[in-house]
Structures are given as C-alpha cells and as structure tokens.
Amino acid sequence: MISIILVSHSKKITDGLKEMIEEMVDSTGDVKIFSAGGTEDGRLGTDSVAIYNIIKQSSQHNNILIFADIGSAILSTETAIDLIEDEELKSKVTLVDAPLVEGAFVASIQAMVDKDVEGILAELQNI
C-alpha cells in the first residue's frame, strides 16, 4: 500500500484534491490519500505535528509520498520528517519534488498500475 499525503496552507485545497483523486482511484485498494492542509483550528497555515501524525498512521504502508505546495508547507513537511525517530519508517517517506495537484494525481493513478515507488517517481519526471 502507498500513502499519499497532500500538504498545503489551505484545507480546502487538500480536501478538494483528495476528493478528486479518490474519484479516480479505488480508495479501498492500494492507494490511501490523506489531506493535511491548514491548521488544526481551521486557519491558513501548515502543521508539522499533523503531518507527522499522518506519517505515523501510515507506518504499515510500503511507501509514503508527500506532496507540498509552497514555502512553509515544504518546511513543515521537512520538520515532520525530522521528527521521525524510527529509521525504518523514515526510509519509507519521500517528499516529492513535483507540483501538488498534478503530481499527486499522476502518482495516485500510477500507483494503481505500478507498485514500485521508483516507477511512480520516474513517471513524475514527465510532468
């Protein structure tokens, strides 16, 4: 199973993208999408602890791909990854250098046909 975590300053963006992707992929299958947008109290911003908690929730998955949009969304994701003490879990996590919307969408679709994370990441080079 592959987890895809969507990180943005706006919960509306990540929730909408999650909804769009789940329309295209079997959410009960091998791809699990998580929305990590906004702050806990609903404001614009990012939350490293929320991202970290989703990573921990995904610890049994083979790979965890994180797509972040801009600025502190990337910094918050890097901080969340730094919080991981379990090296095995940390090795499963990739902060993907690809556009949030297009990248997460392509990765989700590709993950349905190619379980190899290297193949998924290679496909992202084409966008």
Side-chain angles (χ1 to χ4, degrees):
M1 176 164 295
I2 294 176
S3 290
I4 295 180
I5 303 173
L6 311 171
V7 181
S8 174
H9 291 77
S10 170
K11 183 168 177 44
K12 290 179 182 178
I13 288 174
T14 57
D15 284 352
L17 180 55
K18 178 180 186 290
E19 179 183 15
M20 182 182 81
I21 292 170
E22 287 178 342
E23 285 290 319
M24 301 301 291
V25 300
D26 179 7
S27 60
T28 62
D30 291 335
V31 181
K32 184 73 177 163
I33 311 297
F34 294 92
S35 172
T39 62
E40 186 177 320
D41 61 0
R43 292 178 294 118
L44 291 177
T46 55
D47 185 344
S48 296
V49 174
I51 299 164
Y52 170 77
N53 288 335
I54 294 171
I55 293 169
K56 293 280 285 185
Q57 181 181 342
S58 300
S59 65
Q60 298 303 313
H61 300 174
N62 297 331
N63 293 285
I64 303 165
L65 303 179
I66 305 176
F67 293 85
D69 56 7
I70 58 172
S72 65
I74 296 167
L75 294 174
S76 291
T77 299
E78 292 172 338
T79 300
I81 294 168
D82 287 342
L83 292 173
I84 303 169
E85 294 179 357
D86 178 346
E87 289 302 318
E88 181 182 351
L89 175 58
K90 189 178 272 193
S91 71
K92 297 179 184 183
V93 178
T94 303
L95 173 55
V96 181
D97 184 15
L100 174 65
V101 175
E102 297 89 341
F105 184 78
V106 167
S108 299
I109 299 300
Q110 188 66 24
M112 291 188 331
V113 296
D114 185 357
K115 305 303 181 226
D116 175 49
V117 73
E118 294 305 320
I120 295 167
L121 295 174
E123 186 65 30
L124 290 170
Q125 298 302 312
N126 297 323
I127 58 172

